[in-house]
């Protein structure tokens, strides 16, 4: 049984490289040809921003921090107001990046075009560390997600993990490349790579699910309490305390895969806050991810639909 996170129940998400997700619905998208979009949406994005949106609205206060470009904050401001997310983001000169998602429902594909982010001055990075430390006085759970922008060191998450662990916080890292490698060395409480990111972290290919499970077990045994490895449509592997589970989602109609991994993080964290065991964490995380696949933007389906999806998730002991 996983212990409930009760002493300081607030959740903080940290997004160093926030983005505006411009999603274009382009039936039959073909590279190198003229394509016509039939719909467009613009939503506040960045992995931590998405997690905050998925977690907001419950009994646990949610705070978002990180960096935003002061020239195009309106979409973020609107999200924070609508979802009741406390805004502790630092505003920097310039514009937050725009990530373009070309969604072809006919071909069941999503093409991502990610633009460069802001350049973060050294004093702004130090300022964010001060904000995070201040937030640790009143919040128990921190989720550090996404890429690292120019001006911020690859050791950013590792620095935060070390500082937050000293403050007694539960720390989740969802990143890739060097920032994840450094963060893992600082031993966060939970990581959520996908299979490719885990292989990159270990510096070797993972040829099948058995090798993914073994690698996840090794990572857990190194001192990271909960390791979640997403496998796309095949589900996800959850490893904690020597136990490994595979959670497989039910079939759903896919509108966009954008934010599905962030929804999984939010579902697992929400379950942990309720003090449930590993199987229920796996069910809720997988249901959150499956539920957002049929929607555009960081939105979950209704509670009834989520409950239906949770019941439909197949969980296997590995």
């Amino acid at each position: 049984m996983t212990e409930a996170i009760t002493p300081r129940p607030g959740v903080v998400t940290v997004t160093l490289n926030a983005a505006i997700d411009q999603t274009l619905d382009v039936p039959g998208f073909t590279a190198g040809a003229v394509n016509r979009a039939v719909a467009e949406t613009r939503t506040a994005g960045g992995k931590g921003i998405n997690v905050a949106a998925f977690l907001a609205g419950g009994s646990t206060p949610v705070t978002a921090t990180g960096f935003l470009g002061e020239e195009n904050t309106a979409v973020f401001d609107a999200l924070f107001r609508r979802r009741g997310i406390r805004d502790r983001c630092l505003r920097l000169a310039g514009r937050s990046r725009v990530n373009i998602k070309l969604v072809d429902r006919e071909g069941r594909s999503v093409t991502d075009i990610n633009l460069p982010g802001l350049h973060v001055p050294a004093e702004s990075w130090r300022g964010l560390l001060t904000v995070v430390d201040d937030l640790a006085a009143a919040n128990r759970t921190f989720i550090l997600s996404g890429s690292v922008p120019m001006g911020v060191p690859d050791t950013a998450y590792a620095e935060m993990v070390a500082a937050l662990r000293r403050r007694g916080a539960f720390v989740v890292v969802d990143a890739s490349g060097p920032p994840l490698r450094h963060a893992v060395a600082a031993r966060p409480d939970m990581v959520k790579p996908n299979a490719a990111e885990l292989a990159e972290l270990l510096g070797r290919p993972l040829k099948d699910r058995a090798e993914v499970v073994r690698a996840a077990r090794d990572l857990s045994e190194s001192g990271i309490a909960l390791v979640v490895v997403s496998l796309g449509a095949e589900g996800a592997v959850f490893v904690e305390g020597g136990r490994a589970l595979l959670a497989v989602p039910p079939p759903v109609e896919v509108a966009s895969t954008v934010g599905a991994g962030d929804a999984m993080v939010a579902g697992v964290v929400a379950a942990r806050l309720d003090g449930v065991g590993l199987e229920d964490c796996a069910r809720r995380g997988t249901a959150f991810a499956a539920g957002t696949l049929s929607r555009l933007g960081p939105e979950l389906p209704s509670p009834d639909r989520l409950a239906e999806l949770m019941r439909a998730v197949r969980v296997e002991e590995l």
Side-chain angles (χ1 to χ4, degrees):
M1 186 73 170
T2 302
E3 292 185 5
I5 301 171
T6 54
R8 289 173 282 150
V11 175
V12 177
T13 70
V14 178
T15 310
L16 301 178
N17 209 7
I20 295 172
D21 288 329
Q22 180 185 21
T23 302
L24 303 177
D25 193 345
V26 188
F29 171 75
T30 304
V34 175
N35 295 271
R36 298 188 183 280
V38 298
E40 179 204 15
T41 59
R42 289 176 181 255
T43 57
K47 293 179 71 62
I49 298 291
N50 290 341
V51 174
F54 289 128
L55 286 172
S59 58
T60 302
V62 178
T63 300
T65 191
F67 300 113
L68 298 177
E70 62 186 6
E71 294 180 17
N72 58 348
T73 63
V75 67
F76 298 98
D77 296 336
L79 174 70
F80 297 154
R81 285 195 304 270
R82 185 172 74 252
R83 304 303 299 276
I85 298 167
R86 187 184 180 204
D87 177 8
R88 290 293 303 275
C89 296
L90 302 184
R91 270 61 174 174
L92 303 181
R95 302 171 64 84
S96 296
R97 63 188 176 133
V98 176
N99 289 341
I100 301 169
K101 318 289 183 182
L102 303 172
V103 178
D104 175 12
R105 300 194 193 206
E106 294 177 358
R108 297 185 177 181
S109 70
V110 178
T111 301
D112 292 340
I113 303 173
N114 293 346
L115 277 66
L118 294 163
H119 184 281
V120 178
E123 61 269 21
S124 297
W125 166 236
R126 290 191 295 270
L128 182 64
L129 291 176
T130 300
V131 170
V132 169
D133 185 67
D134 177 61
L135 289 169
N139 297 276
R140 176 66 175 86
T141 304
F142 285 75
I143 302 163
L144 319 179
S145 300
S147 59
V148 172
M150 294 178 290
V152 174
D154 285 342
T155 56
Y157 290 141
E159 291 180 51
M160 288 186 180
V161 169
L164 290 167
R165 290 293 304 275
R166 287 194 296 269
R167 297 290 296 259
F170 179 90
V171 188
V172 180
V173 174
D174 183 10
S176 61
L180 175 61
R181 186 178 70 250
H182 290 296
V184 162
R187 300 295 181 263
D189 297 279
M190 171 182 160
V191 295
K192 193 215 67 67
N194 59 34
E197 290 164 347
L198 181 59
E200 181 185 20
L201 173 67
L202 299 175
R204 67 174 190 269
L206 300 174
K207 300 175 184 177
D208 53 30
R209 194 177 71 200
E211 291 195 5
V212 170
V213 173
R214 181 66 261 169
R217 287 186 184 274
D218 290 344
L219 204 54
S220 178
E221 290 167 5
S222 75
I224 298 172
L226 176 57
V227 177
V228 180
V229 185
S230 53
L231 305 174
E234 297 178 28
V237 172
F238 295 76
V239 177
E240 182 180 44
R243 188 182 182 199
L245 302 176
L246 173 69
V248 181
V252 295
E253 181 181 349
V254 178
S256 172
T257 58
V258 176
D262 308 324
M264 178 169 285
V265 170
V268 173
V269 169
R272 285 195 66 102
L273 287 164
D274 286 343
V276 301
L278 183 62
E279 181 173 340
D280 286 330
C281 285
R283 285 189 181 279
R284 199 179 310 189
T286 304
F288 269 43
T292 196
L293 289 174
S294 61
R295 307 173 75 88
L296 295 176
E299 301 282 345
L300 292 173
S302 68
D304 287 346
R305 175 58 175 157
L306 278 176
E308 179 185 342
L309 288 169
M310 284 183 65
R311 291 190 295 269
V313 172
R314 188 177 84 248
V315 178
E316 303 174 10
E317 198 90 29
L318 297 173

